[in-house]
Amino acid sequence: MTMASAPARPQSRSALKRTFERYPFLPALIILVVLIVLNGWFQPRSLSFVGITGLIKTYLALMLLAVAQTYVIYAGDIDLSAGAIVSLVNVVVVGFMAQWGGDGLTILAALGLGLATGLACGLVNGIVVAALRLQAIVATFATSIFFTGLALYIQPVAGTPAPTLFWRTYGGRILDIPFVFYVVVAFAILLVVLVRTRLTLRLLAVGDGQQEAFQSGLPVTAVRIGGYALCGVFAALAAFCITGDTASGDPLVGGKMTLFSIAAVVLGGSALAGGYGTVVGSVIGALIIGFINSLVFFVGTPSEWQNLVQGLAILLALMAGVLVGRGARA
Amino acid sequence: MIKLKLNGVSKAYGATKALSHADLEIEAGEVHVLLGSNGSGKSTLSKIVAGSVRPDAGEILLDGKPVTITGPQSARSHGIAIFYQELSLAAHRTVAENISLASLPSRAGIFVDGDALEERAQRYMALFDGVTGDGFSLDAVIEDLRADQRQLVEIIKALAIEASVIIFDEATSALDRAQVERFFEILRALKQKGRSIIFISHRMDEIFAIGDRATVIRDGQIVGTKRIADTSPSEIITMMVGGHDETDAKAVEHHAPTGAAALALSVKNLGGRGFGDVSFDVRKGEILGFGGLHGQGQSAVLKALFGAAPPTSGSVELDGKPLNPANPRAMIRQGVAYVSGDRAREGVVTGRPILENVMPIHYLRDRMILAHPPASARKALPALQALRTKFAGLGFPISSLSGGNQQKVVIARWLIDRPAVLLLDDPTKGIDLSAKADLFALIRKLAEEGMGIVLYASEDAELLDNADRILVFNGGAVRRELTGTARTRYNLYQAAYEAA
Ligand SMILES: Nc1ncnc2c1ncn2[C@@H]1O[C@H](COP(=O)(O)OP(=O)(O)O)[C@@H](O)[C@H]1O
Ligand SMILES: [Mg+2]
């Protein structure tokens, strides 16, 4: 039971509260800064230019997938097939390039095909969940098995190499700046653009209450399908990064990323129930997971303990986020 | 000129006829008041016109031409806007965003035009300048607003559609005087422009201040339409009730215990969120009814007595001993039971078996740590059977039961260890008629066995049929007490509809 509240809090307190409400990713940002400092403490080189570039290269895919997941979660839905879409797009792109050669034009065509594949998967999810009204968790779990099955059919075993031009570009430099930085900038611009779209606002409104949104005259089904479609496209972009990073096709590469993407969204301060959140938070959430993993490595955790420590660290980060947020909002 | 016409519009929810063959004509440039007690079908009629509920039968004509309204969006495009009684706002979005949610101004077809959005919101918010209260701004988030401010947003949202037919379904229920005055000025201006307004309210003074004509609806049927200038509050109440004295309560079967019976519960000057200075006694064996319009403090008082929202002032005595309703756990141990009509949120443990849904109170009162299913089942079965609950087995999930049977399970919880006082907060919401009859028979039986019972029912008929005494709430206070043969529909309505 809460006691009768104290007579009026000082003004600064409520300003802090408002700041935290407006930027729900602030607790995550604080945790991220702490993790970065810890990383630098245990391994100064991890914060060097090369270290950061490597980390971004490895975790860009998860950042993109976390963003993908965010759009679905905005509307109060969830996509358990996001990782499977990554796998499917990965093998489609690598398979296409292996078939038609590795010149620039073929690579662009392959990427186009990959985007179309992601979009198609997203639309399937959206139709199954929003139009056929199946439970999102179960329905996308089923489609994840289906997409994985497709990926295994296209490429039964891992190992088909991606063309040299492709991974060299992703891992290389243009004008002395690592290519991934251009990707990051493009990604940032894309997110800024998307924040201002009507779709984003409508997704959030649907997440706040489907009945209210319907009664207001929003096309609820179409909006939810739109969220899944956007998720599919971002999952395809995540697949491109994975392909660049691993330089090969693997029909199971994305599977375990799904739950990490959901964890990143929650770490970033978005509500799983929908209606409330930011994509920036999800990017930060993905980075938190990335820095936790590298920290676990840098402090010299024996390999058989690494999963256990990672798991505990993510739990701690979640708790810290909740506590910081609650403390500031109370 | 007739703007909107309904011909034989009907809607049923299962066995409940929410609206039967409704005929209604709304003229251009009039404020047409819809009147009827709770559950009479006003919101159903409104939602059918606004496209969010599909009628089972009947036709709708606009400007003399039949139209098919396929959904809320289609209603808008026909020039129909609505203020929803339960509001249609997105809690985490801003005021400006909510006002334009369904027709977001855009740039290049895909981007939200923030300037146009704010300009539009500003223009309509200006209508309420000076009466909106603190914290009401373009970028305020709905969640942070007070109830009256949310209603203003919903009003503005309806106004911004610039529709030719606007429905306001209990749009003034949380507004203060100044806000209502301003709202009425706006309505008069709309009337001047030839818009048609359907106005639903329970406040007689408002109806006579703003209405041109009034249509009374009772049990889903249109009773009649009067010019406001040619009628009076008592005539309207008579129409709502259906004859002056004819529908008396079943006062004849007067079970109420004599004044000599011991007090089960005594409440003095109780105050809290949404009510103040409420005093009453409940005798053992008595069913005390709480009546009045929705949200006049009835539920709040019951929740306060159960410790769910502890009262801020006043005193409570249970069986002559002082009691501090600090939290539900303490109250359960003291022998106070509470059953909410909102089963999904406050009653059943969804997804769990029936047995587990019956036992939690017993576990709590006996301070049990480990559950022993066979022993639990021996206790649960008689309680459920006493209620004539229909179920396939104790292990089946609660969701396998109908609403009425779920509610019986929730009540069965309290029957294993009898409480001294049973608080019923609109317990029959969404329950079918036969289950209702079972429930009320049980409640009467519990009373006869010496329990003190407080019953809040949002349907007046239930109250008149089942309560020995009725306290009519209005504006968070008890306005009138109806006992014996004074428990008539007419008296109940009159007390409920008087200006608070
Ligand atoms: N969605 C629904 N499901 C089942 N019954 C409903 C539903 N909506 C309304 N009803 C029933 O229809 C009747 C009319 O309700 P309503 O139109 O809300 O009345 P009013 O607005 O006059 O209070 C009531 O008996 C109510 O219980
Ligand atoms: Mg209503």
Side-chain angles (χ1 to χ4, degrees), chain A residues 120-181:
Chain A
C121 292
L123 287 173
V124 168
N125 280 332
I127 288 166
V128 168
V129 172
L132 303 182
R133 291 166 192 257
L134 301 181
Q135 279 291 324
I137 291 195
V138 185
T140 58
F141 176 60
T143 58
S144 82
I145 299 172
F146 177 77
F147 297 149
T148 308
L150 265 183
L152 281 164
Y153 172 76
I154 293 170
Q155 220 180 89
V157 288
T160 312
T164 319
L165 175 63
F166 185 76
W167 59 264
R168 277 254 171 92
T169 310
Y170 185 76
R173 291 167 175 248
I174 295 176
L175 298 177
D176 241 20
I177 296 172
F179 182 77
V180 285
F181 281 87

Side-chain angles (χ1 to χ4, degrees), chain B residues 358-390:
Chain B
V358 181
M359 298 311 288
I361 299 298
H362 179 61
Y363 292 163
L364 181 64
R365 290 190 61 161
D366 269 17
R367 298 173 192 256
M368 282 173 57
I369 293 171
L370 291 178
H372 182 242
S376 299
R378 275 200 299 280
K379 298 203 156 155
L381 276 174
L384 287 170
Q385 274 155 3
L387 294 176
R388 294 201 279 157
T389 315
K390 295 190 189 70

Side-chain angles (χ1 to χ4, degrees), chain A residues 1 21-22 193-194 196-199 201-202 204-205 208 211-219 274-277, chain B residues 47 52 72-73 76 84 86-93 97 101-102 104 106 109-112 139 144 157 310 326:
Chain A
M1 190 195 74
E21 266 170 3
R22 176 145 297 184
V193 166
L194 278 170
R196 291 152 199 270
T197 58
R198 294 204 284 183
L199 180 58
L201 189 51
R202 287 173 164 178
L204 284 163
D208 253 337
Q211 175 74 9
E212 287 80 2
F214 166 74
Q215 292 192 335
S216 301
L218 282 184
Y276 179 66
Chain B
K47 286 179 183 172
S52 54
Q73 191 65 55
R76 290 171 70 111
Y84 286 101
E86 67 280 16
L87 308 188
S88 63
L89 305 175
H92 293 101
R93 301 292 101 216
E97 287 166 344
L101 207 50
L104 293 168
S106 75
I110 57 167
F111 298 112
V112 178
D139 58 353
D144 299 335
K157 190 174 161 184

Side-chain angles (χ1 to χ4, degrees), chain A residues 79 81-90 117-118 121-122 125 147 231-232 235-236 239:
Chain A
D79 187 357
S81 76
I85 299 177
V86 170
S87 305
L88 180 60
V89 172
N90 166 259
T117 307
C121 292
N125 280 332
F147 297 149
C231 176

Side-chain angles (χ1 to χ4, degrees), chain B residues 37-44 46 85-86 169-170 200 202 294:
Chain B
S37 58
N38 293 321
S40 58
K42 306 179 298 293
S43 293
T44 303
S46 307
Q85 183 178 0
E86 67 280 16
D169 189 356
E170 304 199 19
I200 299 174
H202 289 297
H294 246 302

Side-chain angles (χ1 to χ4, degrees), chain B residues 221-281:
Chain B
Q221 282 170 332
I222 305 271
V223 179
T225 301
K226 295 268 172 194
R227 301 211 74 80
I228 290 284
D230 309 337
T231 188
S232 66
S234 74
E235 186 186 20
I236 282 180
I237 292 181
T238 307
M239 282 170 82
M240 287 166 61
V241 174
H244 212 110
D245 303 306
E246 150 210 331
T247 39
D248 268 0
K250 291 185 189 163
V252 258
E253 359 166 346
H254 195 63
H255 326 255
T258 56
L263 290 186
L265 186 72
S266 172
V267 175
K268 292 215 166 46
N269 309 103
L270 199 71
R273 240 187 119 100
F275 62 92
D277 206 16
V278 172
S279 304
F280 60 88
D281 293 330

